[in-house]
Amino acid sequence: MNIQIIQDRCTGCRACIQLCPVHCISMQENHEGFLFPVVDQEACIDCGICLTKCPAYNDHPLRQDPDLAVYAAVHQNPEILMASSSGGAFAALAQYAFSRDGVVYGCSLNNQIIPMHIRIDQAKDLPKLHGSKYVQSDTGNTYSSVKKDLQASKTVLYSGTPCQIAGLKAYLGADDPNLITVDIICHGVPGSGIFRKHIAWLSKKKGAEIQQFGFRNKEKLGWGPLIYLVTTTTKTTILPYFYDVYCQKLFGDSEGLRECCYQCKYANIDREGDFTIGDYWGIQKYHPEIPTAWGVSLLIANDDKAKAIVNDLHRSLTLYPSRIEWARTNNRLLNKPVERPTERDTVFAEIEKLGYDCWAEKYYRSGYYIKALIKSKIPRSLKTTIKQIIRRNKEG
Ligand SMILES: Cc1cc2nc3c(=O)[nH]c(=O)nc-3n(C[C@H](O)[C@H](O)[C@H](O)COP(=O)(O)OP(=O)(O)OC[C@H]3O[C@@H](n4cnc5c(N)ncnc54)[C@H](O)[C@@H]3O)c2cc1C
């Protein structure tokens, strides 16, 4: 079977690998550091399951007239809120699953600081899943593991990017009342291959092996900016946002995202998950009553299953009913995919030519960094005042 025909639309979800009856598909990293399925043509029996089930190859079935329940949400436990990138909606959903003796799947960084989807069955392991990792996560064999859990009648909460949820649903083929799916609003992902090189470069800069890494530490500047928390064998450092070129160019400026991200089918309000979670950007304008310093989640219940669960979330989340038009105003990814910058054509060739370390040094502490550094010196209260003045001026 020639699954290469889906080419740039392939999201790397791994549904095909786990569906293949003769196990003739494997994942291989391409020169840009993204995992793609490759078929062993000699072993392939041409059954076509890989393509007939592939969510990238097939159309994304649209929900008719979606009736969404939209909330701003803040976790009531300050430690969990601090560890979460947004307002901790994910943690509350995971706690709900554990309260039903269920299991939770989500993205965690492994010992080599590479994002992988894992399964946890105890609330004490929740910190492994906390926080956004701005790199594509490898779903491994989690879809088949979910199937086993569902066959054992367990409540399963599976979280990931919408394309990963689409892959899971394609793999399972039918909904299960015990399955709760949570998709994150997603800007797009750089590949784990390039991130591995980034971590190696950062280790050299720090002069010690990196043991832990966080993308959005809230300790210094609260909710919002990307702030690295880097723990090496010798010390822990908080690095300012736009510190380096991975963050600036590959992720932030979208130059190094997977090709499918620029044509993402899910960057709208017709979602794959029962729930959609993200940052509630622009919240101050619509909900001035909500404290925002440590993060606010946007939580969308996309279907009846999710709406029924929301009532149980009150135990851990403070929920504020909101409106989808407001949420969409400042969250571009609920309207359309990120634009493909022209630099996407050349960035990987430049990295290949210079080698990652030289390329990273070339842009390290560039204009972005200086601007961001100045911004980071302005106290939060002054920033809020400036933003309010700008907003008032805009509104007339
Ligand atoms: C690559 C990426 C891009 C994003 N872009 C946007 C955006 O443009 N706008 C927006 O509003 N929100 C975006 N988010 C979502 C946001 O950053 C938070 O992840 C989300 O709001 C959940 O926050 P939380 O406080 O509820 O939980 P947290 O504890 O912060 O998040 C944990 C959840 O994120 C999942 N997760 C973390 N990293 C990954 C990953 N690499 N792949 C799949 N799942 C992952 C975990 O499985 C878990 O469900 C993005 C997240 C990622 C990973």
Side-chain angles (χ1 to χ4, degrees), residues 29-30 32-35 114 135 190-198:
E29 200 172 284
N30 74 0
E32 296 179 343
F34 295 103
L35 290 172
I114 297 300
V135 189
S192 56
I194 207 80
F195 187 65
R196 217 173 34 236
K197 290 182 184 168
H198 178 67

Side-chain angles (χ1 to χ4, degrees), residues 84-212:
S84 306
S85 296
S86 311
F90 164 71
L93 289 163
Q95 286 167 323
Y96 169 82
F98 289 132
S99 74
R100 298 171 64 92
D101 208 17
V103 295
V104 173
Y105 288 81
C107 169
S108 176
L109 292 177
N110 71 10
N111 292 343
Q112 281 85 48
I113 327 282
I114 297 300
M116 301 285 301
H117 261 59
I118 61 164
R119 170 189 189 273
I120 59 169
D121 57 10
Q122 306 178 60
K124 77 172 174 51
D125 287 332
L126 204 46
K128 291 183 185 171
L129 304 186
H130 280 326
S132 308
K133 295 96 190 167
Y134 295 118
V135 189
Q136 183 159 35
S137 174
D138 186 345
T139 56
N141 288 324
T142 50
Y143 296 168
S144 41
S145 172
V146 166
K147 191 173 184 177
K148 282 186 204 137
D149 283 326
L150 293 173
Q151 281 164 347
S153 300
K154 281 196 173 300
T155 296
V156 176
L157 183 129
Y158 195 99
S159 65
T161 57
C163 54
Q164 290 169 337
I165 303 299
L168 173 67
K169 286 163 74 176
Y171 172 81
L172 293 173
D175 191 23
D176 185 302
N178 287 331
L179 175 67
I180 306 158
T181 52
V182 182
D183 70 45
I184 54 174
I185 299 173
C186 180
H187 166 94
V189 281
S192 56
I194 207 80
F195 187 65
R196 217 173 34 236
K197 290 182 184 168
H198 178 67
I199 289 291
W201 170 77
L202 203 54
S203 299
K204 280 182 222 155
K205 277 212 103 52
K206 297 267 130 209
E209 190 192 326
I210 293 176
Q211 295 187 316
Q212 278 177 36

Side-chain angles (χ1 to χ4, degrees), residues 238-278:
I238 293 180
L239 298 174
Y241 65 123
F242 292 130
Y243 170 83
D244 62 51
V245 74
Y246 177 86
C247 212
Q248 284 172 29
K249 283 171 78 71
L250 297 180
F251 179 69
D253 283 352
S254 317
E255 290 180 22
L257 307 183
R258 196 174 173 110
E259 277 295 355
C260 60
C261 300
Y262 306 106
Q263 27 179 332
C264 178
K265 304 189 220 184
Y266 315 106
N268 49 55
I269 53 166
D270 190 24
R271 308 291 297 188
E272 280 294 312
D274 300 309
F275 287 99
T276 293
I277 55 174

Side-chain angles (χ1 to χ4, degrees), residues 226-245:
L226 271 83
I227 302 268
Y228 290 174
L229 181 82
V230 182
T231 306
T232 66
T233 35
T234 51
K235 66 174 179 178
T236 294
T237 337
I238 293 180
L239 298 174
Y241 65 123
F242 292 130
Y243 170 83
D244 62 51
V245 74

